[in-house]
Amino acid sequence: MGLLDEISNLTGSNSAQNAQAAQPQVANGLVQALQEHPGGIGGVLDALRQNGMGQHVDAWTSGQQQPADPQQVQQALGPSGLIERVAQHAGVSPQVATMAMTTLLPLVIRHFAPGGQPAPQSQIGNLASGLLSKLM
């Protein structure tokens, strides 16, 4: 059972199921938003670290599992506008984008910032095709 299934079971809502179904669109939207985001993946890592998710970033960049919940993602990335841009690119609500990002962020960060070293903004597009092929 995946994380989103567990959340759905705990909350009894369809939001987690919607987020799981929207993961490919949200992954694509996240990649597009990263290409536009000030500082790229490095800016996202900084926002996560500055907003209480430093342990998550450290775990994800080293390939370890560290679950995040939608509230943590919202608190860390909401002020940057990234969630709204991801939702807009994906064609989903910000709530669905946030839920899907709880699963996608560890994968994206591990892929775009292995060992904590963010990939240059210019390489995001090239790296994205490999990541998206794994998710779809």
Side-chain angles (χ1 to χ4, degrees):
M1 178 183 306
L3 175 64
L4 294 176
D5 291 329
E6 291 176 31
I7 292 169
S8 179
N9 288 340
L10 291 173
T11 63
S13 73
N14 288 331
S15 296
Q17 291 170 339
N18 292 342
Q20 190 170 22
Q23 276 187 352
Q25 296 95 313
V26 174
N28 191 33
L30 180 55
V31 168
Q32 290 176 9
L34 282 175
Q35 291 175 318
E36 303 166 356
H37 191 69
I41 189 68
V44 172
L45 295 176
D46 289 344
L48 291 168
R49 285 186 175 116
Q50 292 170 4
N51 292 299
M53 294 188 71
Q55 288 181 330
H56 290 80
V57 170
D58 293 341
W60 297 338
T61 58
S62 65
Q64 299 173 10
Q65 297 291 334
Q66 177 76 22
D69 64 49
Q71 184 178 14
Q72 290 171 307
V73 172
Q74 176 60 41
Q75 285 179 326
L77 296 177
S80 72
L82 182 67
I83 293 170
E84 287 74 19
R85 283 192 300 281
V86 169
Q88 183 180 17
H89 284 299
V92 299
S93 72
Q95 293 80 14
V96 169
T98 302
M99 294 276 298
M101 287 172 66
T102 63
T103 301
L104 294 171
L105 274 175
L107 302 171
V108 167
I109 289 172
R110 187 171 32 242
H111 192 77
F112 291 128
Q117 297 300 313
Q121 191 83 355
S122 61
Q123 292 181 6
I124 296 290
N126 293 335
L127 292 171
S129 61
L131 175 66
L132 292 174
S133 68
K134 292 177 186 177
L135 295 173
M136 296 194 187

